[in-house]
Amino acid sequence: MDLPRSRAVAPALEVLDEIGSTNAELATRADPDEFTVLVTTNQTTGRGRLDRRWVAPAGTSLAVSVLLPRPAAAGLGWVPLLTGLAMRRAVASLVPGPVALKWPNDVHVGGRKISGILAELVPGGVVVGAGLNLTMTLDQLPTPTATSLTLEGADPSELADRALAAYLLELRSLATQLSTDAPALRAAVADGCDTLGRQVRVELPGGDELRGTAIRMDELGRLVVLTTGGEAVVAAGDITHLRLDDTGVR
């Protein structure tokens, strides 16, 4: 996989033919001051949130991990969100359909998931991993609610390189903005987040569930949901977008 555009954006980039997990490997060897990047189109033991497996046929998806300097505590919750915004912008440059960020770390095209983000703390930094479906066919998709760039109309030529270069360019810019102009970054994330203003069901890590309207993100990047009992602050959870009649989801 030749990635000339991507190396211009991130000189400290290593392309691997195959690896178990780009996040796990990068956490053991990278310098957070170098914007170090590991990327592959064949990740064999990829993980998503809550230790869920991220699996795709070899060559059909992009797995990329970047080590960022660890921000101040108030900025930690914004790292997966700014990563999602970077991916949203990258995908939007490649496909004609509507692209949105679903809190906290999924990117959707037309309501279907095309990318997921996993951020993990390591000594001195934060590893942010992203999986992006490139050329998966309908038969290869892991769920009926997923999609890929080519299914959404992207030109398949040099697609991995173009997608990676666009993503890294946006990520580098937004990561810098987190430390230089956090209010503007937060506003940009909110503007791109399709969850805000929607009726949602939240499955909390402990097994509890709440329903209400996602009204904003607080200063730590947590989702604030207006329920019948008042405002609830969600730091982590699985979000389902509900239709207005509450009979279906997206």
Side-chain angles (χ1 to χ4, degrees):
M1 180 171 55
D2 189 21
L3 301 173
R5 295 180 183 84
S6 304
R7 286 196 172 90
V9 177
L13 180 151
E14 184 174 352
V15 180
L16 304 169
D17 291 334
E18 178 181 309
I19 193 171
S21 166
T22 54
N23 264 27
E25 177 65 20
L26 184 57
T28 67
R29 56 163 150 157
D31 181 346
D33 294 327
E34 293 184 354
F35 196 76
T36 307
V37 182
L38 286 183
V39 61
T40 187
T41 56
N42 188 15
Q43 182 174 242
T44 57
T45 59
R47 293 175 295 116
R49 292 180 61 247
L50 306 177
D51 282 329
R52 292 170 178 151
R53 294 187 68 200
W54 179 279
V55 180
T60 64
S61 69
L62 191 69
V64 52
S65 293
V66 182
L67 185 61
L68 302 175
R70 183 168 180 166
L76 280 175
W78 290 95
V79 172
L81 291 164
L82 72 86
T83 304
L85 178 60
M87 185 61 78
R88 174 187 180 269
R89 290 177 173 178
V91 171
S93 72
L94 299 167
V95 302
V99 185
L101 173 64
K102 180 183 177 186
W103 189 95
N105 51 14
D106 288 344
V107 177
H108 286 197
V109 179
R112 293 177 293 276
K113 182 175 177 177
I114 199 167
S115 176
I117 309 294
L118 178 65
E120 299 179 285
L121 288 174
V122 297
V126 183
V127 172
V128 286
L132 174 64
N133 297 336
L134 297 173
T135 59
M136 297 174 76
T137 65
L138 285 172
D139 291 340
Q140 293 171 327
L141 293 173
T143 70
T145 57
T147 190
S148 69
L149 289 176
T150 51
L151 285 174
E152 296 300 330
D155 179 354
S157 62
E158 299 182 332
L159 184 56
D161 188 11
R162 291 187 293 117
L164 181 60
Y167 167 64
L168 293 178
L169 186 65
E170 293 289 353
L171 179 61
R172 191 162 199 163
S173 174
L174 291 171
T176 299
Q177 192 175 31
L178 178 61
S179 60
T180 61
D181 193 356
L185 171 68
R186 295 169 184 173
V189 171
D191 185 59
C193 184
D194 192 41
T195 302
L196 298 184
R198 288 190 172 275
Q199 295 292 312
V200 297
R201 180 175 71 241
V202 185
E203 297 175 46
L204 300 170
D208 291 335
E209 178 182 297
L210 62 86
R211 295 191 182 210
T213 304
I215 55 175
R216 66 178 183 276
M217 286 175 281
D218 71 5
E219 68 280 358
L220 300 180
R222 299 175 299 184
L223 187 68
V224 180
V225 179
L226 181 62
T227 72
T228 55
E231 292 186 359
V233 178
V234 179
D238 279 349
I239 304 293
T240 300
H241 293 174
L242 302 175
R243 295 176 184 165
L244 292 179
D245 61 6
D246 204 25
T247 61
V249 300
R250 69 176 291 261

